[in-house]
Amino acid sequence: MRSVVPVLAVVAVILAIWYLACLPMNIHTALTNAERAGVAVQPEGAAERRDRSGIGLALTNPGQWADTWAQDKPRLPAPHQVLAELWDTTAMKKVTSKRSLVFHGWITLSATLLGFAIGTGMGIVLAIGIVHSRAMDMSVMPWAIASQTIPILAIAPMIIVVLNSVGVQGLLPKAIISAYLSFFPVVVGMVKGLRSPDAMQFDLLRTYNASRGQTFAKLRLPASVPYLFASLKVGIAASLVGAIVGELPTGAVRGLGARLLTGSYYGQTIQIWSALFATAVLAAVLVALIAGAERMTLKRMGLGR
Amino acid sequence: ASHSDNSVKLQLQWVTQAQFAGYYVALEKGYYEEEGLDVTILPGGPDIAPPQVLAGGGADAMLNWMPSALAAREKGLPVVNIAQPFKSSGLMLTCWKDTGITGPQDFKGKTIGVWFFGNEYPFLSWMSQEGIPTDGGDDGVTVLKQGFNVDPLIQRQADCISTMTYNEYGQVLDAGVSPDELVTFKYEDMGVATLEDGIYVLEENLADPMFKEKMVKFVRASMKGWKYAESHPDEAAEIVLEYDETGAQSEAHQKRMMGEIAKLTAGSDGSLDEADYQRTVDTLLAGGSDPVISKAPEGAWTHEITDEALK
Amino acid sequence: MTLVLSALILWAAAWWLNVRLANGPTAHTPATKLLVPVIFGLTLLIMWELIVRGLNVPLVILPAPSLIAARFAQSLPILWADFVQTFVKGALSGYAIGCAAAFVTAILIDRSDFLRRGLMPVGSFVAALPIVGTAPILVMWYGFDWQSKAAVVVVMVFFPMLVNITAGLQETTQMQRDQMQTWAATYWQGLWKLRLPAAMPFVFNGLKISSTLALIGAIVAEFFGSPIVGMGFRISTSVGQLALDMVWAEIVVAAIAGSVFYGVVALIERWVTFWHPSQRR
Amino acid sequence: MKGVSQATVIEAKNLDLTFQTNDGAVQALSGVTLDIAAGDFVSFIGPSGCGKTTFLRCIAALEQPTGGTLTVNGMTPEEARKARAYGYVFQAAGLYPWRTIAGNIRLPLEIMGFSRAEQAERVKNVLELVDLAGFGGKFPWQLSGGMQQRASIARALSFDADILLMDEPFGALDEIVRDHLNEELLKLWARTGKTIGFVTHSIPEAVYLSTRIVVMSPRPGRITDVIESPLPKDRPLDIRDTPEFLEIAHRVREGLRAGHAYD
Amino acid sequence: MKGVSQATVIEAKNLDLTFQTNDGAVQALSGVTLDIAAGDFVSFIGPSGCGKTTFLRCIAALEQPTGGTLTVNGMTPEEARKARAYGYVFQAAGLYPWRTIAGNIRLPLEIMGFSRAEQAERVKNVLELVDLAGFGGKFPWQLSGGMQQRASIARALSFDADILLMDEPFGALDEIVRDHLNEELLKLWARTGKTIGFVTHSIPEAVYLSTRIVVMSPRPGRITDVIESPLPKDRPLDIRDTPEFLEIAHRVREGLRAGHAYD
Ligand SMILES: Nc1ncnc2c1ncn2[C@@H]1O[C@H](COP(=O)(O)OP(=O)(O)OP(=O)(O)O)[C@@H](O)[C@H]1O
Ligand SMILES: Nc1ncnc2c1ncn2[C@@H]1O[C@H](COP(=O)(O)OP(=O)(O)OP(=O)(O)O)[C@@H](O)[C@H]1O
Ligand SMILES: Cc1ncc(C[n+]2csc(CCO)c2C)c(N)n1
Ligand SMILES: [Mg+2]
Ligand SMILES: [Mg+2]
């Protein structure tokens, strides 16, 4: 709560800079529009202005500033334009409408959640394997790291096509791409967590003659919970990115990713920005939900202080 | 694969828009249903290679530009053109007039945006016919891989960009540019036009009479859709809007697009014109150092389906 | 079918071998530590080859590793040019700028608690903007060449770096800071002699995370417009040409470059943070 | 009490233990021979690194000697562990932070498969034994260091092992609390008659608690002296100011100093 | 030595300190009045939480008293710090792991702007003083705990402050090493004539080292007793077995017990 004032201050500064940045960013178009409408601008001719800096042009043509904040397809939309679009496409549309961001957000969210579940499950299973089998640790870990250096956008279409050829369609392919991005942080965090108890804690269980299974259930697993949650927060954000990437090669018909893409086909910058912000808000909400679950669980476990 | 059922999946090569109005009209008006077909239309996008989808069994038929389809054929994916609803090409280069460009020779030293993804071939062979290198420098053109909007032109990052008469050109005008500020070069006019949006299927499937029969019905219904769309452009555009799930299309834009598309489909009854085919192949074979296809393809098209369909 | 079967048998055999190696007497030698993952990787490759051949998967869907290797060998000059464009020009420069900017910001934030509490939440929100959305915008702003790719990379690595450096600067104990105070050290002396060295393990953690992000960011940005060279350009156009072997050759380059980049950063980390318990053995 | 001829519980003969490390072999124990009788309270004292912990760990079968023989109740340490022969208390309390005090004490009981009712019963008993009744529902961090250490002792007592091994259990506590816990431990020992092996760094603590004090010297870990305490079993805290006490303390100190090379 | 009328170095009058915490105010020091003369060796002893550390930190200007006055050499603690009046030794050695022993000792010298040559000279001297000559090139983690603590003392000595403040410097070490370092510290004190403030939990340590022992009690931290030691300045280790020594130790223990509530 102590952060409210600083955050507001920072947001205010960002908004101010943003509005200012619209001037040089959009001034070229503003001048061209004005010229077409017969207003005199400095200098004349779009070709002439092409290599001029936006800042210089903005300074010499203060009369066109207002237009830089009100264009249809600006290079940088002004904050109020994005907000208006967000408002228009969430609150003002029925959630079942194709033009509603809530509708598209839900499509993306469902793939995200499914992918997150798959990825987290896989990550946990892999981590359990890795801490219990040296062979698995040594063979899998380097490749798990390497797998993350592959640009997912490049293989996403192939995953879709391959799955399609074995008859898997719809939500699942997107979820698998999203799982691919989210499993890695979970593996890393979970391995760390399962290994986090110190030697003494293991020794203690040995003096009780505890079995492997008991050691896992009574020591490793509870000890890993804080680590797991830390990874889940990274993982859910990665899942969302994965779901969006997965939407691009599925015909890009529905979902926030499709909104981003179709927005860019038609140069609808305002639509792109509002889809972007919707995504970020969705990510923030998801992370906050996990953080809430984390607080609750840790408190139950007596770890939250 | 079993082709005994009556389902047909069609892979488009772009997102839902009036470019594909004929198929949506046929679907909406029940022409497919009348033929006893259950048709699914799969929209495309920049990350979707229709031949790949076809190869993976994700679709029964695809729409494709012929250069791309012939290249796929040479890569070992035997696709066959069974119908050609688009008679003429809508591809063109759009340039700023104030760059001083008046003809192809003025491209030297300029920056030009080109679509890749299998669509660069017509451009490359045109340039090689003009004798202009495409690797930059003062004597050649600097080629950019253009994204799928007109920003590079509007932002003046490129002097010319690729546009379709029915889509991107309109977007340039929508951005407030008047046609007088632009110079355009239609591939059709330059003599380097290649065939666009044809219907392709896998060769091996054509061996199956059941499949063939399905395609006959499909092409017949599709052409009926096209002809209806041509004569009712506004209604067709509205149907397309109806099917657009992204909610990103605007009515004005689709109506204008439909108007332009109608001009391209006008001369076709669906059957491939051998002369057009030959011109396409010649253009591609003339391509520069890295030609799309190295030899004239065999069996890349068939009239069997259209002959049957148009009876 | 026999090929698929032999793939499964191969898997079982290789796994058995690895279990033996990992639990055997030589398990802690560097040779074994290298050998085990290599065997695992090779097994996957051979299984891939066998399955693709066994099931007759079309080339345009999934090429066999042997074809990819052949394409790789034939296309070295192209791959090299793409690598230079994307990795050296785009990813590395963006990485350097992004890390440096995060560093400066971290020190600004460090001096002002107000800034930290204001910027961190906003920063994490901005960091959640997906690159597939920001990349087209940055390409529109910074042009088609490597500059826009570098900008995408800057945006991608900035926040993870900032978080790590900030956390690292908080890493010193109260006692260590008190100690500095008893010597009447200035802010900069405390920063330079105590807090920066203590932050290094965190800084390197950030550098490692960012190293994989950097290359991915540069490649993805090329999908949204590029000159006609670069790894992302090649991948996206090759998919259109159904040259899947080329696509995979580029992916191999990306994986190698990414892993080597990561490895180099990890090596430097060993060298710089030699004192940290996790680096001592 | 059968006087000197009590049953031998732990019997070490010529025990050797060498660790293989990256920097070469470290001989932690060398020729250690020692008998511990039932009901003994044996303290191990010696400079850091002399092998006190290692010896205790050998008894608990946490470490495998490389030479000599070691039997516990006539069995190998392994077998003795399976027979639940020991409770082990580590230097730090080592309570699991995600379990309440009662939950921590219940842990060995769960693992050993006691019934629910039995678990609850035993937890209640040992909590009373260590004076923590009413704190069962608290989490470890809600207790002071001394209370945590008592809980950890309760945990070791809960399954009623005959042998209690304690490795510097009070090392981290302040002197006053430590004195108090020493008193309590003596009472507990008197009440239960367990055999206790106790590692410490503090001479007064060793003298105050033990029936026998084993002095060890480092590199390689050897026993240099075994001192039988003539102190009575009943020991008020101020026994520490008596001449007998100081006499033993002095002897221990001398024994320590002899074997000690500073750092 | 000017007998009883030595110059006063540290003068605390009615010192109060209250921490504002989330759970309310904690009064850590209340009405603390104390004079420390030049050359004194003053030990502070008392149960955990009684404010020993807090008082030392006030002297070093690491904490700001909320009431009363405190002067060091006639200046405020702040000014005294800027004048490099103190060396401070913390409980843990707190050496920087990325610097060698010599590098660690050089650290305050670098900060205070000594010349290179002077730095090298001083590092050499203090390394000898604490018996670590030859270990300058090692990293902290390559040394035993006792050696690390000696290095940390050397660091506090390197810039030759007149006042040495030590907060449980030997708390983490074993008894033998501790004895040894106690002896060394006494020698060093005799040789340099510094004024030393020393916090400890160990009664023998306090009695063995100090000229005055300050006994404190908790909640709120007050001084309950100040004991002047009649022991001579020259103290062999076995002075600890003399009746005078035990007499003082007993008095300290009584003072402590009075103010102590277990846990
Ligand atoms: N797992 C191990 N691997 C290698 N060396 C070890 C291991 N455990 C102990 N040692 C070494 O064996 C020797 C004896 O160690 P041990 O822990 O038994 O000493 P200790 O008497 O308990 O010391 P302290 O009083 O510091 O606890 C030491 O030199 C130590 O470094
Ligand atoms: N920064 C702080 N904020 C709030 N309370 C504090 C702070 N520092 C110390 N205290 C409280 O002030 C009291 C005195 O603490 P101090 O550290 O001086 O005790 P001490 O005598 O040194 O104890 P110990 O022997 O455990 O080191 C304690 O109750 C402690 O909890
Ligand atoms: C991935 C991909 N990129 C470009 C085209 C070429 N193309 C065909 S139709 C069309 C839309 C015109 O408005 C474009 C750009 C394609 N087929 N697939
Ligand atoms: Mg030990
Ligand atoms: Mg303290």
Side-chain angles (χ1 to χ4, degrees), chain E residues 34-45:
Chain E
L34 186 74
D35 284 7
I36 299 179
D40 254 3
F41 195 126
V42 179
S43 287
F44 299 85
I45 194 164

mmCIF file of all heavy atoms in Angstrom, chain E residues 34-45:
data_model
loop_
_atom_site.group_PDB
_atom_site.id
_atom_site.type_symbol
_atom_site.label_atom_id
_atom_site.label_comp_id
_atom_site.label_asym_id
_atom_site.label_seq_id
_atom_site.Cartn_x
_atom_site.Cartn_y
_atom_site.Cartn_z
ATOM 1 N N LEU E 34 27.174 5.955 31.956
ATOM 2 C CA LEU E 34 28.442 5.229 32.074
ATOM 3 C C LEU E 34 29.582 6.082 31.541
ATOM 4 O O LEU E 34 29.435 6.762 30.526
ATOM 5 C CB LEU E 34 28.360 3.926 31.263
ATOM 6 C CG LEU E 34 29.544 2.968 31.386
ATOM 7 C CD1 LEU E 34 29.526 2.267 32.725
ATOM 8 C CD2 LEU E 34 29.500 1.942 30.256
ATOM 9 N N ASP E 35 30.704 6.060 32.257
ATOM 10 C CA ASP E 35 31.912 6.715 31.768
ATOM 11 C C ASP E 35 32.959 5.668 31.485
ATOM 12 O O ASP E 35 33.148 4.752 32.280
ATOM 13 C CB ASP E 35 32.476 7.671 32.827
ATOM 14 C CG ASP E 35 31.665 8.945 32.920
ATOM 15 O OD1 ASP E 35 30.609 9.004 32.262
ATOM 16 O OD2 ASP E 35 32.096 9.847 33.653
ATOM 17 N N ILE E 36 33.605 5.807 30.363
ATOM 18 C CA ILE E 36 34.707 4.884 30.075
ATOM 19 C C ILE E 36 35.971 5.719 29.912
ATOM 20 O O ILE E 36 36.009 6.678 29.141
ATOM 21 C CB ILE E 36 34.440 4.058 28.814
ATOM 22 C CG1 ILE E 36 33.163 3.224 29.007
ATOM 23 C CG2 ILE E 36 35.617 3.167 28.499
ATOM 24 C CD1 ILE E 36 32.792 2.381 27.812
ATOM 25 N N ALA E 37 37.009 5.343 30.677
ATOM 26 C CA ALA E 37 38.243 6.125 30.642
ATOM 27 C C ALA E 37 39.195 5.569 29.610
ATOM 28 O O ALA E 37 39.076 4.416 29.192
ATOM 29 C CB ALA E 37 38.881 6.101 32.035
ATOM 30 N N ALA E 38 40.137 6.372 29.200
ATOM 31 C CA ALA E 38 41.129 5.955 28.222
ATOM 32 C C ALA E 38 41.865 4.749 28.755
ATOM 33 O O ALA E 38 42.244 4.710 29.938
ATOM 34 C CB ALA E 38 42.106 7.092 27.938
ATOM 35 N N GLY E 39 42.080 3.743 27.935
ATOM 36 C CA GLY E 39 42.816 2.576 28.355
ATOM 37 C C GLY E 39 41.992 1.545 29.106
ATOM 38 O O GLY E 39 42.505 0.472 29.439
ATOM 39 N N ASP E 40 40.727 1.823 29.346
ATOM 40 C CA ASP E 40 39.856 0.860 30.017
ATOM 41 C C ASP E 40 39.551 -0.325 29.110
ATOM 42 O O ASP E 40 39.521 -0.181 27.886
ATOM 43 C CB ASP E 40 38.515 1.534 30.370
ATOM 44 C CG ASP E 40 38.410 1.824 31.857
ATOM 45 O OD1 ASP E 40 39.398 1.559 32.584
ATOM 46 O OD2 ASP E 40 37.375 2.347 32.288
ATOM 47 N N PHE E 41 39.319 -1.480 29.754
ATOM 48 C CA PHE E 41 38.772 -2.633 29.021
ATOM 49 C C PHE E 41 37.437 -2.942 29.676
ATOM 50 O O PHE E 41 37.389 -3.518 30.762
ATOM 51 C CB PHE E 41 39.716 -3.827 29.108
ATOM 52 C CG PHE E 41 39.417 -4.910 28.129
ATOM 53 C CD1 PHE E 41 40.416 -5.385 27.273
ATOM 54 C CD2 PHE E 41 38.139 -5.442 28.013
ATOM 55 C CE1 PHE E 41 40.133 -6.387 26.344
ATOM 56 C CE2 PHE E 41 37.862 -6.436 27.096
ATOM 57 C CZ PHE E 41 38.864 -6.905 26.253
ATOM 58 N N VAL E 42 36.347 -2.517 29.050
ATOM 59 C CA VAL E 42 35.036 -2.650 29.659
ATOM 60 C C VAL E 42 34.245 -3.758 28.973
ATOM 61 O O VAL E 42 34.076 -3.726 27.753
ATOM 62 C CB VAL E 42 34.250 -1.325 29.549
ATOM 63 C CG1 VAL E 42 32.871 -1.485 30.177
ATOM 64 C CG2 VAL E 42 35.017 -0.209 30.210
ATOM 65 N N SER E 43 33.784 -4.724 29.743
ATOM 66 C CA SER E 43 32.934 -5.775 29.161
ATOM 67 C C SER E 43 31.478 -5.506 29.479
ATOM 68 O O SER E 43 31.155 -5.011 30.558
ATOM 69 C CB SER E 43 33.308 -7.137 29.732
ATOM 70 O OG SER E 43 34.526 -7.562 29.206
ATOM 71 N N PHE E 44 30.622 -5.847 28.517
ATOM 72 C CA PHE E 44 29.182 -5.748 28.731
ATOM 73 C C PHE E 44 28.616 -7.151 28.718
ATOM 74 O O PHE E 44 28.851 -7.910 27.784
ATOM 75 C CB PHE E 44 28.520 -4.923 27.633
ATOM 76 C CG PHE E 44 29.020 -3.515 27.582
ATOM 77 C CD1 PHE E 44 30.168 -3.190 26.874
ATOM 78 C CD2 PHE E 44 28.357 -2.508 28.275
ATOM 79 C CE1 PHE E 44 30.627 -1.898 26.843
ATOM 80 C CE2 PHE E 44 28.834 -1.208 28.240
ATOM 81 C CZ PHE E 44 29.968 -0.897 27.525
ATOM 82 N N ILE E 45 27.897 -7.496 29.784
ATOM 83 C CA ILE E 45 27.329 -8.843 29.824
ATOM 84 C C ILE E 45 25.870 -8.730 30.237
ATOM 85 O O ILE E 45 25.481 -7.779 30.934
ATOM 86 C CB ILE E 45 28.150 -9.745 30.773
ATOM 87 C CG1 ILE E 45 27.798 -11.214 30.556
ATOM 88 C CG2 ILE E 45 27.963 -9.339 32.229
ATOM 89 C CD1 ILE E 45 28.825 -12.152 31.178
#
